[in-house]
C-alpha cells in the first residue's frame, strides 16, 4: 500500500492511500479538499474511499466536497455518526473494512474525543491514528478521561514494533522538547531529537514513526516505566495517575 503525506493547514497531515493490486485510492482525515484533489490530479488517481478517525473539522472539513466530486465511500466511527455528515459505513471497535486488497481493523481509541477510532492495516504494517498517538506525544483530552486515553495508548503500544504510525499533525519537535523535561536521561530520546531537529531544519516531515520507536522514546507510552515515574516524582504511583500528570504538564508546557 502506497501512502502519500499531504500537508494541510499549519501542521496537519492528510494521507492519500493507494492499493496497488486493485487501484483503489483512499484518503485519511481530509481536513480540506484542495490539497487532496491536487495530489490526486498529479497522479491521475480517482478517489474511492474516505476514512475518518474523528469528528474534528480539521480532519473532516473536506470530506463532503471530496465525496461529492468522486462519489467516494465515507467510513467512520459508529459512535460519531451524529457528528460526521454523509457517513456511509459506520464501524466500531474490532470491525474490519476492506480497502481494495487491504484489510483495516478498526480500533476504538477514545481520549482525544469520545468516538475516536484508528485504522490498523496489519498486512501493510500501517496505523492511521488521528490525534490519539503522536510522534513523541499524544492528543489533548477534549472529551475523554485519562483512564480512557491511557488504555487507548496501551492498545496501540501492543501492536507490532515495526508498525508505521501515521498521525494527524507534525508536532514532533515540540513534543520532543517536552519529553526531554520528563525523561532527560533517555539516550534514545536525545538521539531521536537530533534527528528530528535535522529533519525539520530541512523542512522534511518526521512522520511516519513506528510503534517500536515510540515505545523507547515517547513518555506518554511509558507512564508505567519506573524511570519516567521517578523523573516526575511519582515512583510507584499507578500508571494512569502518572499519565494524567504527564498530560497536565504538557497542557501547560511552553517550549
Amino acid at each position: 500500500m502506497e501512502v502519500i503525506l499531504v500537508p494541510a493547514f499549519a501542521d496537519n497531515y492528510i494521507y492519500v492511500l493507494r492499493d496497488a493490486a486493485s487501484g483503489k485510492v483512499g484518503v485519511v482525515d481530509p481536513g480540506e479538499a484542495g490539497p487532496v484533489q491536487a495530489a490526486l490530479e498529479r497522479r491521475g488517481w480517482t478517489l474511492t474511499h474516505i476514512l475518518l478517525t474523528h469528528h474534528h473539522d480539521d480532519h473532516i472539513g473536506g470530506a463532503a466536497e471530496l465525496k461529492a466530486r468522486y462519489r467516494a465511500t465515507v467510513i467512520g466511527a459508529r459512535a460519531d455518526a451524529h457528528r460526521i455528515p454523509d457517513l456511509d459505513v459506520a464501524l466500531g471497535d474490532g470491525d474490519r473494512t476492506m480497502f481494495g486488497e487491504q484489510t483495516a481493523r478498526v480500533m476504538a481509541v477514545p481520549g482525544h474525543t469520545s468516538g475516536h477510532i484508528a485504522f490498523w492495516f496489519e498486512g501493510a504494517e500501517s496505523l492511521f491514528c488521528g490525534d490519539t498517538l503522536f510522534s513523541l506525544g499524544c492528543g489533548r483530552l477534549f472529551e475523554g478521561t485519562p483512564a480512557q486515553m491511557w488504555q487507548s495508548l496501551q492498545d496501540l503500544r501492543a501492536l507490532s514494533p515495526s508498525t508505521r504510525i501515521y498521525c494527524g499533525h507534525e508536532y514532533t519537535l515540540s513534543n520532543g522538547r517536552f519529553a526531554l523535561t520528563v525523561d532527560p536521561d533517555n539516550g534514545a530520546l536525545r538521539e531521536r531529537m537530533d534527528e528530528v531537529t535535522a529533519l525539520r531544519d530541512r523542512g522534511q516531515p518526521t512522520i511516519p514513526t513506528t510503534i517500536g520507536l515510540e515505545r523507547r522514546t515517547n513518555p506518554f507510552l511509558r507512564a508505567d516505566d519506573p524511570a519516567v515515574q521517578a523523573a516526575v516524582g511519582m515512583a510507584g504511583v499507578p500508571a494512569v495517575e502518572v499519565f494524567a500528570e504527564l498530560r497536565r504538564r504538557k497542557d501547560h508546557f511552553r517550549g
Side-chain angles (χ1 to χ4, degrees):
M1 186 172 70
E2 186 175 357
V3 181
I4 307 297
L5 277 68
V6 179
F9 305 117
D11 51 31
N12 279 65
Y13 284 134
I14 300 168
Y15 299 102
V16 173
L17 321 178
R18 183 176 184 274
D19 173 50
S22 65
K24 298 293 185 182
V25 177
V27 64
V28 180
D29 287 354
E32 55 180 336
V36 177
Q37 292 177 21
L40 295 171
E41 289 170 4
R42 281 196 299 271
R43 295 167 176 83
W45 294 351
T46 299
L47 189 68
T48 58
H49 295 70
I50 300 171
L51 286 72
L52 306 175
T53 64
H54 65 294
H55 71 89
H56 285 165
D57 193 58
D58 65 324
H59 289 253
I60 72 168
E65 182 177 344
L66 291 169
K67 176 179 180 176
R69 182 181 183 90
Y70 297 102
R71 299 184 180 180
T73 300
V74 178
I75 302 167
R78 184 178 300 116
D80 267 347
H82 61 296
R83 302 194 286 191
I84 299 178
D86 300 315
L87 186 64
D88 297 308
V89 180
L91 300 173
D93 188 52
D95 288 342
R96 296 179 183 274
T97 186
M98 295 299 297
F99 169 61
E101 298 299 312
Q102 305 288 334
T103 302
R105 192 186 104 192
V106 173
M107 301 177 67
V109 286
H112 180 65
T113 66
S114 58
H116 205 302
I117 59 174
F119 296 94
W120 176 40
F121 290 85
E122 183 177 10
E125 293 191 305
S126 297
L127 172 72
F128 299 89
C129 55
D131 290 357
T132 297
L133 174 62
F134 291 127
S135 175
L136 296 179
C138 74
R140 286 179 178 266
L141 307 185
F142 288 123
E143 297 175 7
T145 66
Q148 286 178 314
M149 182 63 103
W150 174 236
Q151 184 60 60
S152 295
L153 293 177
Q154 289 181 88
D155 291 343
L156 296 179
R157 184 177 69 174
L159 299 178
S160 167
S162 57
T163 301
R164 290 180 293 277
I165 299 168
Y166 296 95
C167 56
H169 294 270
E170 180 57 72
Y171 288 164
T172 311
L173 193 58
S174 59
N175 284 342
R177 289 171 180 151
F178 170 76
L180 286 170
T181 70
V182 296
D183 198 10
D185 297 325
N186 186 333
L189 173 59
R190 292 196 303 273
E191 180 180 341
R192 185 167 178 208
M193 277 300 287
D194 289 340
E195 297 170 354
V196 165
T197 301
L199 285 170
R200 296 310 294 155
D201 285 346
R202 297 194 298 270
Q204 296 180 357
T206 63
I207 307 302
T209 178
T210 66
I211 291 292
L213 186 54
E214 294 305 307
R215 286 181 190 172
R216 297 191 297 274
T217 58
N218 188 331
F220 292 99
L221 293 186
R222 301 175 58 233
D224 51 0
D225 186 316
V228 172
Q229 294 184 347
V232 296
M234 300 181 72
V237 174
V240 67
E241 296 180 26
V242 177
F243 169 78
E245 174 62 15
L246 290 170
R247 188 60 258 179
R248 185 193 68 80
R249 292 190 186 191
K250 180 62 170 66
D251 288 345
H252 295 90
F253 180 72
R254 298 293 180 269

